[in-house]
Amino acid sequence: MVDLSTSSKWHQPGFYGPVTATLDWCEASHSGSPQGVAPDIHLLQANYQFSYYIAEMANSFSNLFTITLAIYGALAASSQFLPTRYVAGYTGIALVGIGSFAFHATLLFEAQLADELPMIYVGSMSLWFLFDDHPGYGVKSSRSRALIALLVVFDVLFTWSYIVYRNPVYHQVVFASIVFTTTARVTYLLKWSDRTSDIPDRIKSTIGKLFSSGAAMFAFGFLIWNLDNIFCDALTRWKLAVGWPRAFLLEGT
């Protein structure tokens, strides 16, 4: 068992230098002195504890699952000759995973943007898909072009404002708004739109189950993320008590 409370790696600087990101996660971190540790030892965020090149090991490598699923989805969409927009959507999800890996590996603000901005881009792209519900998948209709223009303007304005106003809560509110709008639009299309009668009941049932499962997993992840932030101090003490690698099971973000 590695005792991180006395290990020099706890305070070891990393390859990328000081943290410049506006967020630093509860990955075996503590803001004070855990039980069993001398009170004159002030524990800092346990970055770079396993590698000189990876700030947060668990949070970084967990993104490989997202990247793998996104690649699988893109290949499946391509093999089924689905419209290019769907391959682009899966590619965007892969970019979110890559950006998140870079963010947690470096804890640099530039890498944070590589994680958080694609989340907004992919989310807003999904709204384009859902609101562009006229027959066909081209982009020559006035409706498609108007939606694309709105998408670009929104993404550019958010990018500029988020770089200027570096408040992660701002990003969270905007992303949550996109998620809720997506949920409302999917519900409308399945139940009340003019296209509802064109969708077979079996297909609507499948879409509803898939969307509900995804929403439930998203909500569960959001719950775990909040519990991880709220109870960071207690979780840190438990991680120090059980040691590594078992402490990885308590990583929630």
Side-chain angles (χ1 to χ4, degrees):
M1 178 186 299
V2 178
D3 183 3
L4 295 178
S5 64
T6 57
S7 172
S8 61
K9 279 192 173 184
W10 188 271
H11 304 280
Q12 176 177 311
F15 176 79
Y16 307 98
V19 173
T20 59
T22 59
L23 293 169
D24 198 352
W25 306 96
C26 183
E27 184 161 318
S29 64
H30 199 279
S31 58
S33 298
Q35 295 177 356
V37 179
D40 59 332
I41 299 177
H42 182 74
L43 297 183
L44 303 176
Q45 185 79 10
N47 300 325
Y48 299 103
Q49 61 195 100
F50 295 107
S51 170
Y52 180 64
Y53 300 98
I54 303 292
E56 296 178 345
M57 188 68 71
N59 289 344
S60 296
F61 281 94
S62 61
N63 287 287
L64 295 181
F65 180 71
T66 301
I67 297 170
T68 300
L69 283 182
I71 293 174
Y72 175 81
L75 293 175
S78 179
S79 66
Q80 296 175 32
F81 302 102
L82 295 179
T84 305
R85 62 177 66 183
Y86 295 108
V87 178
Y90 280 115
T91 302
I93 295 174
L95 291 177
V96 173
I98 294 171
S100 183
F101 187 104
F103 172 30
H104 291 290
T106 67
L107 291 178
L108 298 177
F109 180 69
E110 294 80 4
Q112 180 180 350
L113 293 178
D115 172 19
E116 295 180 334
L117 290 180
M119 290 173 61
I120 300 298
Y121 301 160
V122 174
S124 58
M125 182 187 294
S126 70
L127 290 180
W128 165 42
F129 295 171
L130 292 171
F131 280 92
D132 190 15
D133 59 349
H134 286 188
Y137 294 96
V139 294
K140 295 183 179 180
S141 69
S142 57
R143 181 184 179 87
S144 294
R145 291 181 177 179
L147 287 170
I148 293 174
L150 288 173
L151 170 71
V152 172
V153 170
F154 172 80
D155 287 345
V156 169
L157 288 177
F158 177 80
T159 300
W160 170 78
S161 61
Y162 191 48
I163 292 175
V164 173
Y165 182 59
R166 301 185 179 187
N167 188 337
V169 176
Y170 171 48
H171 173 272
Q172 293 161 15
V173 169
V174 172
F175 184 71
S177 300
I178 292 175
V179 171
F180 286 125
T181 304
T182 299
T183 302
R185 181 61 178 174
V186 169
T187 303
Y188 170 77
L189 289 174
L190 290 178
K191 294 187 175 183
W192 302 298
S193 75
D194 295 337
R195 309 289 178 185
T196 300
S197 58
D198 298 331
I199 306 174
D201 290 339
R202 180 178 60 84
I203 300 299
K204 284 193 287 188
S205 176
T206 300
I207 294 173
K209 290 178 180 178
L210 287 173
F211 193 80
S212 298
S213 299
M217 287 188 286
F218 181 87
F220 180 71
F222 185 69
L223 172 65
I224 294 297
W225 179 71
N226 277 282
L227 292 176
D228 199 55
N229 288 328
I230 295 171
F231 300 106
C232 182
D233 289 353
L235 287 170
T236 297
R237 289 193 292 270
W238 295 348
K239 292 171 189 176
L240 292 174
V242 302
W244 303 97
R246 289 174 293 178
F248 271 120
L249 299 175
L250 296 174
E251 298 291 354
T253 55

